[in-house]
Amino acid sequence: MPGEPKTRVEVGPRRAEAEHQEAPLRRDDDLPALLSEIASDKAPLPNAKGGLSARHTHQIQQFLKENFSRKLSLSEMAAVCDLSPYHFARAFSKTFGVSPYQYVLGLRLDLAEKLLAESRMSITDIADLAGFSSQSHFTTMMRKYRHATPQQMRTGQRRSQSKK
């Protein structure tokens, strides 16, 4: 039927379906609440020498919390703090301990992981909603940084980091 979410075909055990009896999460559901939970986990380093000011730290956190799922440029992020992209990238890294790209990627992966666990959305829809360019890119990043594919995350079959 038009307007209904696509059903996904499960190859492995149906454990994920049994765990998630609620209605699937759609784009118009309460995403702001999920996003605020995700973004609040990424705390800046206090008083980092050469880092962002407290005001700029708050501004960029708010901006990224609201915009991380869309394509962002370093220039756009730097403009939030009225800094050049070069100085912004250096100050951001000193403040948060990671590059702006890694920070945004972490937010996207956190959201995707939460959606995999709490919804029955298709992996393609989750990749799109979290801001990945494709399902393949999402799967590659999930495997590289979380050591499991999206399907393995969904079913709880997370691989050990020592296995290859």
Side-chain angles (χ1 to χ4, degrees):
M1 277 189 185
E4 288 188 355
K6 297 176 187 173
T7 57
R8 74 182 162 82
V9 178
E10 287 197 45
V11 180
R14 297 193 156 256
R15 190 169 83 200
E17 191 173 322
E19 290 175 356
H20 304 291
Q21 293 298 322
E22 77 277 357
L25 185 68
R26 294 173 308 211
R27 289 186 175 275
D28 57 345
D29 287 338
D30 193 20
L31 264 175
L34 276 174
L35 298 178
S36 65
E37 278 181 39
I38 305 268
S40 65
D41 294 346
K42 309 293 183 195
L45 304 172
N47 303 324
K49 184 173 177 156
L52 297 171
S53 68
R55 181 174 60 94
H56 286 153
T57 299
H58 177 72
Q59 286 175 327
I60 196 65
Q61 280 183 307
Q62 189 65 32
F63 175 79
L64 292 176
K65 184 168 94 171
E66 295 169 359
N67 296 289
F68 74 86
S69 64
R70 67 176 180 84
K71 188 173 183 172
L72 295 169
S73 69
L74 187 60
S75 299
E76 185 180 4
M77 289 185 267
V80 171
C81 298
D82 291 327
L83 295 171
S84 71
Y86 173 78
H87 285 100
F88 171 76
R90 287 176 49 101
F92 187 98
S93 294
K94 288 184 179 185
T95 301
F96 290 94
V98 294
S99 70
Y101 171 78
Q102 289 294 322
Y103 185 89
V104 171
L105 180 62
L107 292 174
R108 289 175 177 172
L109 288 171
D110 290 347
L111 174 63
E113 196 170 342
K114 193 163 189 62
L115 290 172
L116 285 167
E118 297 178 1
S119 77
R120 292 176 22 191
M121 290 175 68
S122 72
I123 292 172
T124 304
D125 289 343
I126 290 172
D128 183 51
L129 189 63
F132 292 96
S133 58
S134 66
Q135 180 180 342
S136 174
H137 180 232
F138 170 47
T139 300
T140 300
M141 294 296 105
M142 185 68 81
R143 187 180 297 126
K144 181 176 181 177
Y145 293 103
R146 303 294 163 94
H147 308 286
T149 65
Q151 186 62 39
Q152 289 169 329
M153 293 294 270
R154 173 166 273 161
T155 60
Q157 298 173 352
R158 201 170 194 172
R159 290 189 306 215
S160 164
Q161 289 186 9
S162 61
K163 292 183 182 178
K164 292 194 179 188

